[in-house]
Amino acid sequence: MAAAETDRDVPSALCSEFLNFSAKDTAAKWLQVSNLPKEVYQHLACYVPKIYCLGPNLNPQNEDLLAPLLLQSPLEWYLCGEEPSVGLAKLEQNNQPSQLCGHVFKVGEPTYSCRECAADPTCVLCMQCFLGSVHKEHRYRMTTSGGGGFCDCGDTEAWKKGPYCQKHEPNISDSSQKIRFFLGGGVCFMIAFHYCMLVYWEKCNLLILFSRARGDTYYCMLFNDEVHTYEQVIYTLQKAVNCTQKEAVSFATTVDRDGRKSVRFGDFQFCEQAKSRNTSRQTKPLRVQVMHSSVVAHQCFALKALTWLGQIIRYSVSNLVFPAGARNVYHQLFMSSLLMDTKYKKLFAIQFAKNYERLQNDYVKDDHDREFSVTDLSVQMFTVPSLARMLITEENLMTTIIRTFMDHLRHRDLQGRFQFERYTAQQAFKFRRVQSLIGDFKYVLISRPTEWTDQLREKYLESFDAFLELLKCMQGMDPVVRQVGQHIEMEPEWEAAFTLQMKLTHIISMMQEWCASDERVLIEAYKKCLSALTHCHSGFTDGEQPITLSMCGHSVDTIRYCVSQEKVSIHLPVSRLLAGLHALLSKTEVSELSPPMLIEHPLRCLVLCAQVHAGMWRRNGFSLVNQIYYYHNVKCRVEMFDKDLSMLQAGASMMDPNHFLMIMLSRFELYHIFSSDVVQQNNTLIEEMLHLVIMIVGERYTAGVGQVECSDEIRREIVHQLCIRPMAHSELVKALPENENKETGMERVIDSVASFKKPGVTGRGLYKLRPECAKMFNLYFHHYSRADHASVKTDFHVFVVVLPPPVLPRFSPLFASLVNILQCDVLLGILGAVLQWAMEPSGGHWSESMLQRVRLCLGDSENLHKLDLSLIYRAQSRGGEHRKRNTLTVRDKDKAERKRKAEMARLRREKIMAQMSEMQRHFINENKELFQQSLEELDPSTSSTLEHRYTCIPSENVTDQT
């Protein structure tokens, strides 16, 4: 074979033409486009069918003997230009270890990531490189690989320091230059790639035109579809091809390992008959295809050719092990060749981004796992900061990923929101697969830019618009309505929406961090988010009656809305994104806003939680309970509960505090209680409302809201977790939120707030709170669940009774006006009403928890002067009497209960004795002759004694007898 003349960059063309391969192309077009020698294909088309797939048994031993001689040897001569053994020996002799390790991980193989030096969690080392690096002395994470990735040793962008192990330290000899020359000069690489892609093409029957060497024989080929179980495959095979169970098990095992297996060989009708029998009433049919033997022959050789390419590359690059299966071989070959060189990795990434939408569409339609798809290679490119920036600016990658994701979620309600309630099984399967796109988006965002260009700003803000479109489809999805009268009949779907929320949690946080790194981007993103929220709730007053609330000499216009009667949703990502951006604007002027619109929906969500805690939504079943649980759970609360609280703080800081509190009372449905003489009330809702006031004013440990650092927030979280009980390291980590790098930041601050008690013989090591940190304790810590709160009050009663409220950090300037809430007329009216209830003789319209919250709000000296001190003291005394009365009541109840039980025991004993006496009387009456004879036979003393005993029994019959 003569070498083809070409001036094209072979690997560049390879990247482009591989990813642009389309079913519309024909064999002739491929030959024309690739400008490759036709005699190579003619040689393959002639000899492959003569060597491969000549009978029912695929891959017999004679194939391994003939293929190297007639197929691989000519390609090696073509490549080396001389005797292959001589040329390859020369290449191997001059081989130098590459600066990039590139070791491909097998499934279950250990991987190591340095928690101090890795650029992101995807940067890992193989065991050999890790043991030879500086990272073994650092804090590191060891995991097991799922297969498919490779060692990042030698990649300077993957490590903040220590990018090389001892083996891969830079040297004078540059082996990558030899690899590039090797790839560029070897046209046979492109021949092999084109050939392998062609034969695996869906319409590859065109190859039959080249095959005149045999008659028309076919294979009935069974493919692995990742859907059916072993049992289903075995049962269907036995019925379809009349095989034994042992043969069916062998077929199923091979299909699971290699991806396909021939189950019949013969003419077309014979194979088609087996395919037609592939039916099942319980599941859809197996994936079966009748294939011409020539096509199967070429595909078998293509797999061998890919493996051969890997063996050739191994002469210049080490660490190559190929598993079975064509897809895996493709992946391994890409990672060990193209992705190991910076230049060609960039070219491959560009073509990957250009064809991203089509590749993802193919993957979603496919039935194989992601590890077998070319889309799984995204992590190898998108996590490289320089490549990611280039793809964002030049290929608009971020926007492409978001829009591709949204194109697959077209099931919407009339308002354009995602609707998962009536998902079919196929749609649910599709939804699970498209979640991988969120992972790709995370890879792109994982490294924040340190310098911004105008082009990067433009493309990022364009992608921010697309991201807002995604969040708008989530805003208000899965609304709930309070069930009254009858319990809900069927639990509604809620898991899918929360799955999407959890997948996007880190994405939202990372988008905010990108915005925070550039002031111009932050301001523009804030305006865009505000506009999106306005669009979502432009008609938030439509159909809702406007009303005017008046209290303590103040009035405010709002709407009539009852959470307990109207639709309300727990999903508000646009509002929460705006809340996060608002906290970042501490040093920037804020544009004109509408505070009532900002607080409306987060307030509704918090009121919903309060009403659920008050037992008002019991008939809505467990679906709502689960939503409330995850709303406060550590996995979701950062971008749900915490952001709702931040939005209320932002809105309240821009409103008259009296107006804010009146609106809050209205949404809690408590306005009529504090503005009139209504007697009926819900103490739990009042407690929740007062708790929310305390959180709005007291929760200042969010950077931007209070003058604190991130470490202060983490330190406070740890203190309050250890106030519940001493915890082990793993337990404490689970209670803290993780960032996108799976870090909690605990190690930086744990020693300052806790001491570690080493484990004993059977115990485990525990962190215990340092005594001097007890002053940071806050009974109304906003992340405490009800169980946590109860545990603290029980186990750490000294904190509750003795310690005063902690000293709080100052608000940032943007939130400084929040302190006015504690001194406004409406709050004083609320506190005065609670104190007045506490003095009433009946004492039935208040609770101890309610009074505790009032005391905390009265901690401000101004409030003490504004309220009647005698009222406060009398209420506090009343509270003490209430507690004492409760204690006495409990004691009296215990005493009465003991007396009642003693009386019941006495009556029970008397009843048993009476029953025994009755049985004795009955026995004597039935046997009075025998009884008299027995008395006569006894001696006089014993007789008189027994006679006396029985005559003492109060029975008329016995008395008459004596």
Side-chain angles (χ1 to χ4, degrees):
M1 293 181 290
E5 296 294 333
T6 176
D7 58 354
R8 302 176 57 181
D9 188 334
V10 176
S12 303
L14 174 63
C15 297
S16 174
E17 293 173 7
F18 170 75
L19 291 173
N20 280 296
F21 183 72
S22 170
K24 296 180 180 179
D25 296 309
T26 63
K29 183 179 179 182
W30 265 98
L31 293 174
Q32 180 180 1
V33 171
S34 57
N35 194 25
L36 294 174
K38 295 183 180 180
E39 49 267 36
V40 175
Y41 285 98
Q42 292 171 351
H43 177 79
L44 296 176
C46 177
Y47 282 98
V48 168
K50 294 180 179 180
I51 297 174
Y52 283 91
C53 304
L54 299 177
N57 181 27
L58 295 180
N59 304 319
Q61 293 182 352
N62 63 326
E63 294 178 1
D64 294 333
L65 298 175
L66 295 175
L69 177 64
L70 297 178
L71 298 175
Q72 295 176 3
S73 180
L75 292 176
E76 291 175 359
W77 273 93
Y78 181 80
L79 174 65
C80 298
E82 58 181 327
E83 172 65 38
S85 59
V86 177
L88 295 177
K90 292 179 181 178
L91 184 64
E92 186 176 21
Q93 184 178 3
N94 296 325
N95 183 34
Q96 296 289 338
S98 172
Q99 294 179 13
L100 294 176
C101 174
H103 168 72
V104 180
F105 293 111
K106 297 184 284 292
V107 176
E109 186 174 356
T111 63
Y112 299 82
S113 179
C114 181
R115 302 177 71 177
E116 299 176 9
C117 306
D120 60 75
T122 66
C123 301
V124 293
L125 298 172
C126 64
M127 180 182 293
Q128 185 177 4
C129 292
F130 174 75
L131 295 177
S133 71
V134 298
H135 306 296
K136 67 178 181 179
E137 306 297 334
H138 299 170
R139 292 188 305 111
Y140 63 89
R141 179 188 296 110
M142 188 179 87
T143 57
T144 55
S145 173
F150 59 72
C151 177
D152 293 301
C153 183
D155 186 350
T156 55
E157 291 194 72
W159 309 99
K160 299 173 184 176
K161 59 181 179 181
Y164 304 102
C165 69
Q166 297 174 356
K167 178 181 178 181
H168 297 104
E169 283 284 350
N171 50 48
I172 300 176
S173 176
D174 186 5
S175 62
S176 62
Q177 180 65 31
K178 293 196 291 292
I179 296 174
R180 286 196 294 272
F181 171 79
F182 180 70
L183 288 174
V187 181
C188 70
F189 275 75
M190 282 199 69
I191 297 173
F193 268 113
H194 287 172
Y195 168 75
C196 294
M197 288 183 291
L198 184 62
V199 299
Y200 278 103
W201 178 24
E202 183 181 4
K203 297 183 179 180
C204 60
N205 286 332
L206 291 172
L207 287 175
I208 299 176
L209 299 176
F210 298 105
S211 306
R212 307 291 186 184
R214 70 146 60 91
D216 286 334
T217 55
Y218 293 84
Y219 288 94
C220 182
M221 199 72 69
L222 173 64
F223 292 86
N224 183 9
D225 57 9
E226 307 290 347
V227 174
H228 294 85
T229 64
Y230 261 95
E231 291 74 14
Q232 292 170 339
V233 174
I234 293 170
Y235 172 78
T236 306
L237 281 174
Q238 288 179 270
K239 181 179 66 173
V241 298
N242 295 325
C243 63
T244 65
Q245 183 181 17
K246 183 178 180 179
E247 292 172 330
V249 170
S250 177
F251 289 154
T253 304
T254 304
V255 169
D256 184 66
R257 184 187 69 240
D258 299 338
R260 71 177 191 176
K261 179 69 175 74
S262 170
V263 295
R264 265 196 177 182
F265 174 75
D267 58 25
F268 181 81
Q269 184 177 359
F270 182 65
C271 294
E272 186 67 24
Q273 184 182 30
K275 180 181 178 181
S276 63
R277 292 177 181 174
N278 172 33
T279 58
S280 176
R281 295 180 180 178
Q282 288 143 358
T283 60
K284 66 179 184 179
L286 302 178
R287 185 181 168 193
V288 179
Q289 184 178 353
V290 176
M291 303 177 64
H292 195 279
S293 57
S294 294
V295 175
V296 176
H298 284 287
Q299 290 182 351
C300 289
F301 174 67
L303 185 60
K304 295 289 185 180
L306 290 173
T307 306
W308 170 78
L309 287 178
Q311 294 171 347
I312 295 296
I313 293 176
R314 188 166 56 186
Y315 285 102
S316 186
V317 182
S318 60
N319 300 313
L320 265 180
V321 179
F322 286 112
R327 295 190 183 199
N328 276 344
V329 177
Y330 268 117
H331 290 187
Q332 306 288 353
L333 194 55
F334 287 147
M335 287 189 288
S336 60
S337 57
L338 297 175
L339 300 184
M340 283 288 289
D341 187 275
T342 305
K343 175 183 176 182
Y344 301 122
K345 188 174 186 177
K346 177 180 178 181
L347 295 173
F348 188 87
I350 292 173
Q351 294 302 322
F352 189 91
K354 287 181 181 296
N355 296 273
Y356 185 84
E357 182 178 2
R358 182 174 60 83
L359 292 173
Q360 293 294 345
N361 290 340
D362 291 342
Y363 163 68
V364 171
K365 296 174 184 177
D366 196 9
D367 53 12
H368 285 77
D369 292 336
R370 183 174 168 85
E371 62 186 281
F372 301 106
S373 169
V374 70
T375 59
D376 194 43
L377 296 177
S378 60
V379 65
Q380 310 299 340
M381 296 165 283
F382 294 171
T383 55
V384 181
S386 58
L387 278 182
R389 302 286 185 280
M390 180 269 296
L391 295 176
I392 291 172
T393 54
E394 297 181 11
E395 303 299 332
N396 207 7
L397 177 62
M398 293 174 68
T399 304
T400 300
I401 294 175
I402 298 170
R403 289 178 177 170
T404 302
F405 178 78
M406 292 188 64
D407 284 343
H408 290 287
L409 299 181
R410 294 186 175 274
H411 200 58
R412 317 278 175 86
D413 61 13
L414 297 178
Q415 288 74 34
R417 298 170 301 199
F418 292 141
Q419 190 175 34
F420 303 102
E421 179 65 30
R422 299 180 180 178
Y423 255 27
T424 63
Q426 182 178 2
Q427 288 172 320
F429 174 78
K430 184 177 180 181
F431 176 64
R432 289 194 297 269
R433 295 181 80 85
V434 299
Q435 292 174 26
S436 62
L437 277 72
I438 301 178
D440 286 350
F441 195 45
K442 179 180 176 181
Y443 294 149
V444 177
L445 290 170
I446 212 160
S447 299
R448 294 193 304 274
T450 54
E451 296 181 1
W452 287 79
T453 63
D454 291 339
Q455 188 180 14
L456 180 59
R457 290 189 183 95
E458 177 186 356
K459 295 299 182 182
Y460 176 77
L461 289 173
E462 183 179 339
S463 65
F464 193 85
D465 283 328
F467 188 63
L468 285 174
E469 291 298 318
L470 169 61
L471 298 188
K472 284 163 65 176
C473 293
M474 298 173 60
Q475 184 85 356
M477 66 179 175
D478 285 356
V480 293
V481 180
R482 183 180 174 223
Q483 190 79 9
V484 294
Q486 186 179 358
H487 194 280
I488 194 169
E489 294 182 359
M490 182 177 295
E491 295 283 350
E493 163 63 38
W494 65 274
E495 293 94 337
F498 262 89
T499 298
L500 181 58
Q501 170 65 44
M502 282 192 248
K503 291 286 186 180
L504 290 176
T505 292
H506 287 149
I507 300 293
I508 297 173
S509 300
M510 295 161 78
M511 292 289 283
Q512 295 171 14
E513 292 171 357
W514 274 58
C515 294
S517 65
D518 186 79
E519 187 174 6
R520 288 168 56 186
V521 171
L522 175 60
I523 295 173
E524 289 300 317
Y526 184 86
K527 292 178 180 177
K528 291 177 180 292
C529 191
L530 181 60
S531 176
L533 182 63
T534 304
H535 178 266
C536 286
H537 304 308
S538 57
F540 85 102
T541 60
D542 293 349
E544 296 169 344
Q545 181 182 358
I547 58 173
T548 301
L549 305 177
S550 299
M551 185 176 173
C552 302
H554 299 272
S555 298
V556 62
D557 294 329
T558 181
I559 57 174
R560 185 186 302 278
Y561 179 88
C562 293
V563 174
S564 62
Q565 300 176 11
E566 308 292 339
K567 288 184 178 181
V568 60
S569 173
I570 206 169
H571 297 285
L572 306 169
V574 179
S575 300
R576 292 159 186 159
L577 177 58
L578 183 64
L581 296 177
H582 188 86
L584 299 173
L585 287 170
S586 300
K587 300 180 181 179
T588 308
E589 293 184 2
V590 182
S591 58
E592 292 295 328
L593 300 172
S594 172
M597 182 195 71
L598 299 181
I599 68 171
E600 182 64 34
H601 290 271
L603 180 56
R604 293 178 183 180
C605 192
L606 289 166
V607 171
L608 171 65
C609 296
Q611 292 183 352
V612 171
H613 290 158
M616 296 172 58
W617 291 68
R618 287 195 181 99
R619 292 183 174 88
N620 283 71
F622 287 106
S623 62
L624 181 58
V625 174
N626 290 329
Q627 291 185 63
I628 300 298
Y629 169 79
Y630 279 105
Y631 174 76
H632 291 96
N633 186 266
V634 67
K635 294 182 180 295
C636 299
R637 72 183 183 212
V638 173
E639 291 300 333
M640 295 191 81
F641 169 69
D642 290 356
K643 286 299 190 294
D644 284 346
L645 183 58
S646 295
M647 182 55 85
L648 287 188
Q649 291 176 313
S653 67
M654 294 180 284
M655 295 176 65
D656 181 290
N658 297 288
H659 295 173
F660 172 77
L661 288 175
M662 282 190 284
I663 293 176
M664 190 170 73
L665 285 175
S666 177
R667 298 300 173 266
F668 270 91
E669 301 175 32
L670 298 173
Y671 173 75
H672 62 287
I673 294 176
F674 291 98
S675 60
S676 62
D677 297 329
V678 176
V679 176
Q680 186 178 4
Q681 63 191 48
N682 188 319
N683 285 354
T684 303
L685 282 182
I686 297 175
E687 293 170 7
E688 293 285 342
M689 182 271 297
L690 291 173
H691 191 190
L692 181 56
V693 173
I694 294 171
M695 289 191 294
I696 290 172
V697 179
E699 291 303 329
R700 309 178 185 184
Y701 280 86
T702 299
V705 176
Q707 297 181 21
V708 296
E709 302 294 334
C710 292
S711 57
D712 298 324
E713 184 178 1
I714 299 169
R715 186 178 293 107
R716 182 170 180 254
E717 290 281 348
I718 295 175
V719 166
H720 284 83
Q721 288 299 322
L722 295 180
C723 282
I724 302 173
R725 62 182 178 278
M727 293 184 177
H729 183 277
S730 58
E731 188 179 12
L732 194 53
V733 167
K734 291 179 180 178
L736 300 174
E738 292 182 339
N739 62 10
E740 66 277 4
N741 291 329
K742 298 183 179 179
E743 295 287 345
T744 62
M746 185 184 78
E747 285 77 9
R748 299 197 303 267
V749 301
I750 185 65
D751 292 332
S752 64
V753 297
S755 57
F756 184 73
K757 182 180 179 181
K758 294 183 178 180
V761 178
T762 59
R764 55 177 181 167
L766 297 175
Y767 284 105
K768 186 176 181 180
L769 184 68
R770 294 183 182 275
E772 62 271 19
C773 295
K775 62 184 180 181
M776 298 176 64
F777 172 75
N778 179 5
L779 178 62
Y780 299 102
F781 180 57
H782 66 315
H783 287 160
Y784 274 164
S785 65
R786 289 198 158 196
D788 295 337
H789 193 267
S791 178
V792 168
K793 291 186 71 175
T794 301
D795 299 335
F796 293 86
H797 185 67
V798 64
F799 288 168
V800 179
V801 176
V802 179
L803 293 180
V807 177
L808 299 175
R810 288 180 172 272
F811 276 120
S812 65
L814 200 61
F815 293 84
S817 61
L818 282 175
V819 295
N820 296 331
I821 292 178
L822 293 177
Q823 303 176 12
C824 71
D825 296 332
V826 172
L827 181 64
L828 293 177
I830 295 172
L831 302 182
V834 175
L835 294 174
Q836 186 66 44
W837 296 336
M839 293 192 307
E840 293 177 358
S842 62
H845 305 306
W846 65 283
S847 66
E848 181 63 26
S849 297
M850 196 186 303
L851 195 59
Q852 286 180 356
R853 288 163 171 79
V854 170
R855 288 178 189 142
L856 188 59
C857 293
L858 288 174
D860 181 52
S861 59
E862 292 292 330
N863 287 346
L864 295 176
H865 288 291
K866 289 183 179 181
L867 283 177
D868 185 357
L869 291 179
S870 62
L871 184 67
I872 298 173
Y873 294 147
R874 287 163 61 192
Q876 290 179 340
S877 299
R878 184 99 166 105
E881 294 174 1
H882 179 72
R883 287 194 302 274
K884 188 181 296 183
R885 184 167 62 250
N886 287 343
T887 303
L888 292 175
T889 301
V890 171
R891 291 177 180 174
D892 292 342
K893 287 182 177 179
D894 290 342
K895 185 176 180 180
E897 182 67 14
R898 288 196 298 271
K899 185 177 180 181
R900 185 184 66 84
K901 289 182 178 179
E903 181 66 17
M904 290 178 63
R906 185 185 65 81
L907 294 174
R908 185 168 179 268
R909 286 196 300 271
E910 291 181 355
K911 182 178 180 181
I912 292 173
M913 291 300 296
Q915 289 176 347
M916 291 177 63
S917 298
E918 180 64 27
M919 292 173 64
Q920 289 173 344
R921 287 193 298 268
H922 180 72
F923 180 79
I924 291 174
N925 290 335
E926 292 292 330
N927 304 276
K928 53 187 177 182
E929 293 181 358
L930 178 63
F931 180 75
Q932 184 65 32
Q933 181 181 358
S934 298
L935 287 176
E936 293 174 354
E937 292 176 354
L938 293 172
D939 60 73
S941 61
T942 306
S943 177
S944 61
T945 303
L946 289 175
E947 184 177 4
H948 172 73
R949 286 181 181 176
Y950 283 100
T951 55
C952 290
I953 299 175
S955 173
E956 294 181 359
N957 295 331
V958 175
T959 303
D960 294 340
Q961 179 64 32
T962 57

